[in-house]
């Protein structure tokens, strides 16, 4: 589904990513861990097109995407969440989810002006689908609330709902458990496993080893912009190099 | 082309006639408070201009280019009607076409810029348009005689004037501008145009495109990764704004009858911005209300005409500081219900502004009834009373958490309230007949309010927690 | 070289006087733009009221030498040496700039409003300041008495046509160097000297002192600097004072040169100042200086060597577009993060 080949990104003299190779396939949860500043978010941004690598290849769903604009990558079936929640705060919960299906729609302003049947049908369809997704995430009672008025946990869930709204083939989750308690983390893990069961490729960036062990099939460890090691969660936990990279830096 | 125009003429003519009949009572009412003739036209044009900048702002772009597009529309329209005997409809179509074309050409490179860089680039665009219009005749005259590019220039000029080979080209008439433009714009034209725009805006908000633009405004990067083509929608918003501004330019040229390059300078760009800021961007009604209000005010406040600049600047400042949502945020229940000191300050200043408006309209209302102009001035007394109570309320609220700031505020509020109470009493008793005394008292009071509010400002709302990361 | 001279049509240009023109005009632009650039670099906002401060500085200077008669819209006599107006204008400009900050920027800063709101409020206060100046000093133009501004008398040389003898008085003729055909007035000399001193002084403050260090830290990040123990509010206030003082000095020199005081003075400089700081590099002090001379050079070139003097501004703005498109940080600016 996703494959990175020798992806390198530097800012000025600072190398954020150095020859990163990574594979993630459908129906599998891939973990990405590493100390703070290891380049995890840069990597996610490069995959989703918000940033572009200086060299190397990113292949998603059979397309080379390393130079592509983010909206086109999304149209290929990629969705993501953000480390610090980034919702459209001036919009309602429902609209936040509807916006994610934007690229699926075809109606133009012209259709809307004349209220053509095709436009009405499309709007109804998008609305219904968004409501279904909100229902799945237990947010349907909040559909007309402004996104900024939601509690932290609800905002996290809404972001996840938004990511899944457009039937993505792959989802990137950037520290989805930040600020969550153990019970919420567990629930989130269930959701991730649901996605996996639905055949979606998931790439999850996390610090929480419990979640990693719960959901991940394979884990990449990133340190100073380089892949330190790859393995199953159990292998990773025993790897002395990983322990060294984390010691004194995290927790 | 002609048959299409005729067809539209046939449809539109009755519409204009019906509109004229329908709005006549409203126009009569407006005349009572001093809004008549071309003032109404200018108000409606201002509303159209407000909408034009609304589109770019709605998409998160701070563009001050609309005065430039207005100039393009005005000049193309005026050249067509004065030199080619075109009808207003044709002038409108070609003016909008020219503005849209230029928006498409400059949009692609310019809209890559963001924030303040975009703002200053659009200011620059406006200036270039103004200067090129001023120097157009001379520049084109020289280019026409140039051996290399002369041919192309002649072809292009041929579209604008008949006599390309005139010894002195007269197209934009340099700094003097074009005079004797037929004054064909009628109120009905503007009302119909505005209604069409209003429908357009209404639908726009509930369309796929409107949602996409709102998303871009709130977070461009997230919008992009939700599958929205940011570059495309930015250009579309800029384009729509440009053609609406061009249309406003055509209408205004055919209202005034005389246009010059200096009519479209930076000051005009600021005026257009002020319409949107005053009305508020929370809803599409905002820029319309803002445009109507700001253009009507100098007429309603005719005795204060001398202070127009002062009042305009003050309004811009007060609104952006105290009422970031503009006038339309007053219509939201949440505005009146929410708590916190900032909101109280907002309410006080708003109440002040609303009362100023009411108190200034009243004299004319009364004048229309009897000749009771002086009576009207006594109404001024009510205004300060209301405001001083509000200010005192607001300032007393400030005392509790911050005693050192509060003391000055209370002092000021006390003085303000005292001055105005005295004024009120004197006014009611009928001691103030001399209008100038009233003015001075009013100005003193206004200064006190503003001073008091600013010193006791700002509220410490949770600034730190609301701070967004600077670098995305 | 010859090709270039032909291409730019420089054959008939008298080099020395035009270069002198570039220097004094450019010094003035740079001086004006320095304060603009300082505020942009420290606060990240464009202070469009800068030209209003410039105009007020000039009036304060005039008031200092003329006394209270200026409020009646006249200046019949000057009691003190006219150069005293410059420090007065600087102090006045500085204080006014602090007031502008308190009224227009401070509340918005506290609320963490978007930077573009601050742009709008600066426009608002600029409009107000011009309106207040019209109320206080009148809309008519004020001038100092002809003998107030020192000048040296000399014979008007052949070939230099001055149609209206009064113009000589108003521009305050100083020195005519016949062999170079230069008309150098004391005011213009003053402009060059004062500008240079102030530029060097500002450069010294920004690069060599603790204050400058504080400013640069605040410019980098307000939050980081308050963590480092820098008094952010004080830095803002000082930055506004310096910026206002520079605007006041520029305003005084500008009006001394023309001897025309009008509330609308400086409005044309709002946008010209913008081009200056964009060309040189938004927020860069050296950039503002370079930009000032560059804009002056373009203007002088357009007027002296082409038939399109009126298009000088258009050329400047065209260049400004190119710079914004391809090098948004300006000629000397550092690449900036995306700051709104």
């Amino acid at each position: 589904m996703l494959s990175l080949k020798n992806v390198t990104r530097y800012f000025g003299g600072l190398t954020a990513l150095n020859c990163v190779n990574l594979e993630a396939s459908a129906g599998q949860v891939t973990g990405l861990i590493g100390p703070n500043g290891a380049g995890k978010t840069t990597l996610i941004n490069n995959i989703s097109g918000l940033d572009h690598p200086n060299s190397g290849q990113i292949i998603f769903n059979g397309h080379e995407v390393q130079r592509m604009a983010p909206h086109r990558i999304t149209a290929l079936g990629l969705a993501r969440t953000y480390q610090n929640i980034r919702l459209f705060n001036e919009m309602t919960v429902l609209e936040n989810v509807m916006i994610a299906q934007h690229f699926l729609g075809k109606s133009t302003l012209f259709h809307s002006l004349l209220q053509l049947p095709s436009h009405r049908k499309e709007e109804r369809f998008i609305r219904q689908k968004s409501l279904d997704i909100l229902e799945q995430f237990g947010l349907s009672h909040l559909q007309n609330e402004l996104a900024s008025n939601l509690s932290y946990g609800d905002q996290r869930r809404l972001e996840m709902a938004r990511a899944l709204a457009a039937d993505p083939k792959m989802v990137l989750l950037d520290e989805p458990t930040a600020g969550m308690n153990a019970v919420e983390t567990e629930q989130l893990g269930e959701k991730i496993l649901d996605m996996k069961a639905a055949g979606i490729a998931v790439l999850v960036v996390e610090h929480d080893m419990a979640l990693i062990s719960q959901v991940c099939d394979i884990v990449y460890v990133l340190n100073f912009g380089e892949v330190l090691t790859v393995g199953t969660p159990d292998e990773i936990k025993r790897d002395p190099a990983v322990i060294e990279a984390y010691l004194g830096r995290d927790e | 082309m002609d048959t299409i125009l005729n067809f539209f003429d046939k449809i539109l003519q009755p519409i204009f006639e019906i509109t004229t009949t329908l709005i006549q009572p409203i126009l009569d009412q407006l005349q009572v408070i001093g809004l008549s003739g071309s003032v109404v036209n200018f108000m409606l044009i201002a509303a159209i201009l407000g909408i034009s900048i609304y589109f770019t702002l709605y998409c998160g772009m701070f563009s001050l280019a609309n005065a430039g597009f207005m100039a393009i529309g005005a000049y193309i329209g005026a050249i067509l009607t004065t030199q080619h005997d075109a009808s207003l409809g044709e002038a409108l179509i070609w003016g909008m076409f020219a503005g849209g074309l230029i928006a498409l050409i400059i949009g692609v490179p310019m809209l890559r810029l963001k924030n303040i860089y975009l703002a200053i680039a659009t200011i620059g665009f406006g200036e270039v348009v103004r200067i090129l219009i001023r120097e157009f005749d001379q520049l084109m005259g020289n280019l026409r005689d140039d051996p290399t590019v002369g041919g192309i220039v002649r072809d292009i000029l041929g579209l604008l004037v008949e006599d390309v080979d005139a010894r002195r080209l007269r197209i934009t008439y340099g700094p003097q501008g074009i005079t004797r433009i037929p004054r064909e714009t009628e109120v009905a034209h503007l009302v119909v145009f505005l209604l069409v725009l209003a429908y357009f805006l209404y639908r726009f908000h509930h369309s796929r495109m409107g949602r996409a633009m709102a998303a871009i405004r709130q977070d461009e990067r997230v919008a992009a990764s939700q599958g929205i083509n940011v570059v495309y929608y930015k250009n579309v918003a800029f384009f729509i704004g440009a053609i609406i501004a061009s249309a406003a330019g055509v209408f205004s040229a055919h209202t005034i009858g005389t246009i010059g390059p200096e009519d479209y300078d930076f000051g005009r760009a600021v005026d257009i911005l002020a319409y949107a800021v005053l009305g508020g961007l929370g809803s599409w009604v905002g820029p319309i209300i803002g445009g109507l209000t700001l253009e009507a005010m100098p007429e309603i406040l005719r005795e204060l005409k001398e202070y127009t600049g002062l009042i305009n600047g003050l309004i811009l400042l007060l609104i952006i500081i105290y009422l970031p949502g503009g006038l339309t945020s007053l219509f939201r229940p949440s505005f009146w219900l929410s708590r916190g000191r900032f909101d109280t300050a907002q309410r006080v200043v708003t109440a002040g502004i609303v009362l100023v408006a009411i108190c200034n309209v009243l004299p004319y209302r009364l004048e229309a009834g009897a000749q009771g102009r002086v009576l009207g001035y006594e109404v001024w007394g009510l205004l300060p009373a209301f405001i001083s109570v509000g200010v005192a309320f607001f300032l007393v609220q400030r005392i509790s958490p911050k005693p050192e700031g509060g003391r000055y505020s209370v002092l000021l509020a006390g003085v303000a309230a005292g001055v105005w109470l005295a004024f009120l009493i004197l006014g009611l008793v009928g001691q103030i007949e001399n209008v100038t005394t009233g003015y001075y008292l009013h100005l003193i009071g206004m200064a006190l309010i503003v001073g008091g509010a600013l010193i006791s400002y700002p509220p410490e709302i949770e600034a730190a927690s609301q701070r967004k990361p600077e670098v995305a | 070289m010859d090709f270039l001279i032909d291409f730019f049509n420089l054959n008939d240009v008298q080099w020395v006087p035009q270069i002198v023109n570039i220097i004094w005009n450019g010094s003035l632009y740079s001086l004006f733009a320095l304060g603009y650039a300082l505020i942009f670099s420290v606060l990240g906002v464009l202070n469009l009221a800068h030209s209003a401060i410039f105009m007020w500085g000039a009036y304060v200077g005039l008031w200092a030498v003329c006394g209270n008669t200026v409020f009646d819209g006249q200046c019949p006599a000057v009691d003190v040496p006219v150069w005293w107006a410059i420090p007065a204008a600087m102090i006045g400009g500085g204080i006014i700039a602090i007031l502008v900050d308190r009224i227009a920027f401070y509340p918005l800063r506290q609320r963490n409003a978007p930077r573009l709101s601050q742009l709008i409020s600066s426009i608002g206060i600029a409009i107000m300041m011009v309106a207040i100046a019209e109320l206080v000093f009148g809309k008519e133009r004020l001038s100092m008495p002809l003998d107030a501004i020192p000048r040296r008398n000399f014979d008007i040389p052949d070939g230099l046509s001055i149609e209206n003898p009064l113009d000589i008085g108003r521009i305050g003729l100083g020195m005519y160097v016949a062999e170079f055909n230069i008309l150098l007035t004391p005011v213009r000399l003053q402009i060059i000297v004062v500008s240079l001193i102030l530029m060097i002084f500002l450069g010294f403050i920004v690069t060599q002192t603790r204050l400058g260090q504080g400013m640069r830290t605040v410019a980098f990040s307000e939050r980081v600097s308050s963590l480092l123990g820098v008094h952010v509010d004080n830095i803002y206030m000082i930055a506004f004072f310096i910026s206002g003082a520079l605007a006041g000095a520029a305003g005084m020199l500008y009006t001394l040169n023309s001897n025309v005081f009008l509330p609308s003075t400086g409005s044309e400089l709002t946008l010209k100042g913008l081009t200056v700081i964009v060309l040189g590099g938004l927020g860069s002090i050296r950039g503002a200086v370079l930009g000032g001379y560059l804009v002056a050079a373009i203007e002088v070139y357009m007027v002296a060597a082409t038939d399109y003097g009126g298009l000088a501004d258009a050329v400047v703005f065209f260049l400004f577009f190119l710079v914004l498109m391809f090098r948004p940080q300006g000629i000397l600016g550092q690449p900036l993060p995306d700051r709104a």
Side-chain angles (χ1 to χ4, degrees), chain B residues 339-352:
Chain B
R339 292 208 182 131
R341 241 170 292 138
F342 176 66
D343 306 301
T344 315
Q346 272 186 311
R347 269 168 243 155
V348 170
V349 175
T350 312

Side-chain angles (χ1 to χ4, degrees), chain C residues 16 21 27 78 91 97 101 112 162 171 191 199 268 293 309 311 319 321 327:
Chain C
V16 179
N21 275 340
S27 302
V78 172
I91 294 168
D101 173 44
N112 255 307
I162 294 173
I171 58 176
I191 288 173
M199 281 175 207
E268 71 278 9
Y293 290 108
L311 282 175
L319 201 64
F321 269 123
R327 205 179 150 76

Side-chain angles (χ1 to χ4, degrees), chain B residues 192-421:
Chain B
V192 170
F193 192 81
L194 199 59
L195 286 177
V196 171
L197 276 186
Y199 175 74
F200 182 73
L201 276 170
Y202 173 72
R203 284 293 171 210
F204 167 80
H205 275 257
H206 298 285
S207 75
R208 197 167 147 261
M209 181 187 271
R211 270 201 304 272
M213 287 184 185
I216 292 171
R217 178 186 69 229
Q218 291 169 54
D219 195 329
E220 196 177 315
R221 284 161 67 89
V222 176
S225 52
Q226 295 297 333
I228 293 167
N229 187 343
V230 174
V231 177
Y232 170 75
Y233 281 114
K234 280 187 163 185
N235 277 286
V236 170
F238 191 66
F239 172 76
I240 297 177
I243 55 174
I244 296 175
S246 310
V250 177
F251 282 130
S252 76
H254 293 85
T255 299
I256 321 168
T258 313
I259 53 173
E262 305 312 314
D263 296 340
Y264 306 98
D265 60 357
F266 181 58
R268 170 72 75 170
V270 170
D271 284 348
I272 298 175
L273 177 67
Y275 303 146
V277 170
L278 175 68
L281 297 166
S283 105
W284 56 272
V285 193
I288 299 182
I289 292 184
L292 295 177
T293 315
L294 213 56
E295 206 58 36
M297 218 162 41
E299 295 303 317
I300 297 181
L301 308 181
R302 204 168 293 153
E303 315 101 315
L304 295 180
K305 211 154 198 173
E306 215 184 318
Y307 306 108
T308 306
L310 192 65
I311 293 173
N312 280 352
L314 194 66
I315 284 178
L316 209 54
L317 201 61
L318 286 178
I319 292 276
I320 204 77
I321 293 176
Y322 288 99
L323 203 63
L327 289 181
T328 38
S329 60
L330 303 181
F331 300 125
R332 275 159 224 264
S334 59
F335 175 81
W336 299 100
L337 296 177
S338 59
R339 292 208 182 131
R341 241 170 292 138
F342 176 66
D343 306 301
T344 315
Q346 272 186 311
R347 269 168 243 155
V348 170
V349 175
T350 312
I353 294 172
V354 171
L355 279 166
V356 168
I358 295 173
C359 291
N360 284 298
V361 174
L362 275 174
Y364 287 95
R365 274 252 161 250
L366 297 170
E367 184 186 28
Q371 310 90 353
R373 223 183 141 88
V374 181
L375 184 68
Y377 279 97
E378 289 174 3
V379 182
W380 284 85
L382 290 172
L383 157 76
F386 273 116
I387 299 182
S388 51
V389 171
V391 169
F393 177 64
F394 158 56
L395 295 177
V396 165
Q397 265 215 330
R398 293 239 0 132
I399 315 173
S400 40
K402 223 177 147 194
E404 68 279 5
R407 222 169 291 150
Y408 300 107
S409 315
V410 171
L411 191 70
L412 268 170
V415 177
V419 169
W420 278 331
L421 208 59

Side-chain angles (χ1 to χ4, degrees), chain B residues 47-300:
Chain B
I48 296 172
L49 286 169
I51 293 173
S52 79
I53 196 173
Y54 176 75
F55 270 97
T56 44
L57 289 169
Y58 192 77
C59 197
M61 295 181 293
F62 190 87
S63 158
L64 288 166
N66 290 11
F69 288 117
M70 198 186 165
I72 292 167
Y75 268 90
I76 295 285
I79 290 168
L80 289 178
T81 44
T82 51
Q83 306 210 8
H84 295 262
D85 292 324
S87 68
L88 181 62
E90 282 172 295
L92 191 64
I93 289 167
W94 288 110
M96 287 165 80
F97 176 78
L101 190 68
I102 289 170
L104 288 181
I105 295 169
I106 66 159
V108 176
M110 199 155 79
L111 298 179
R112 291 188 315 178
L113 300 168
K114 283 177 194 164
N115 301 327
I116 223 137
Y117 293 93
L118 178 64
I120 53 188
T122 52
I123 292 174
F125 166 74
E127 285 300 290
V128 169
V129 169
R130 186 175 63 84
I131 297 162
L132 283 182
I133 286 177
R134 195 181 65 203
E135 308 293 329
F136 191 80
D137 291 353
Q138 194 204 351
L139 184 67
M140 285 301 146
N142 288 2
L143 285 181
R144 176 192 61 180
D145 303 331
D146 190 277
T148 45
V149 294
I152 308 164
V153 172
R154 269 157 203 270
D155 289 346
I156 297 172
L157 289 179
L159 299 172
L160 294 172
V161 281
E162 272 154 28
D163 187 10
V164 179
D165 294 310
R167 203 169 56 78
R168 273 191 69 187
L169 269 181
R170 288 189 177 279
I171 300 174
T172 63
Y173 291 85
Q176 302 97 318
I178 302 178
T179 50
R180 274 182 281 170
I181 305 166
R183 299 188 180 186
E184 284 171 357
T185 310
E186 287 164 26
V187 178
H189 296 153
L190 293 166
V191 170
V192 170
F193 192 81
L194 199 59
L195 286 177
V196 171
L197 276 186
Y199 175 74
F200 182 73
L201 276 170
Y202 173 72
R203 284 293 171 210
F204 167 80
H205 275 257
H206 298 285
S207 75
R208 197 167 147 261
M209 181 187 271
R211 270 201 304 272
M213 287 184 185
I216 292 171
R217 178 186 69 229
Q218 291 169 54
D219 195 329
E220 196 177 315
R221 284 161 67 89
V222 176
S225 52
Q226 295 297 333
I228 293 167
N229 187 343
V230 174
V231 177
Y232 170 75
Y233 281 114
K234 280 187 163 185
N235 277 286
V236 170
F238 191 66
F239 172 76
I240 297 177
I243 55 174
I244 296 175
S246 310
V250 177
F251 282 130
S252 76
H254 293 85
T255 299
I256 321 168
T258 313
I259 53 173
E262 305 312 314
D263 296 340
Y264 306 98
D265 60 357
F266 181 58
R268 170 72 75 170
V270 170
D271 284 348
I272 298 175
L273 177 67
Y275 303 146
V277 170
L278 175 68
L281 297 166
S283 105
W284 56 272
V285 193
I288 299 182
I289 292 184
L292 295 177
T293 315
L294 213 56
E295 206 58 36
M297 218 162 41
E299 295 303 317
I300 297 181

Side-chain angles (χ1 to χ4, degrees), chain C residues 217-259:
Chain C
T217 325
V218 174
F220 175 71
S221 161
E222 194 184 315
R223 223 179 335 174
V224 170
S225 29
S226 54
L227 289 176
L228 290 173
V230 178
H231 287 284
V232 178
D233 260 344
N234 286 357
I235 295 283
Y236 283 155
M237 208 193 265
I238 295 169
F240 265 100
F241 183 83
I242 295 177
S243 143
L246 292 170
M252 199 63 234
L253 292 168
Y254 184 87
T255 40
L256 276 179
N257 180 54
S258 62
N259 200 7

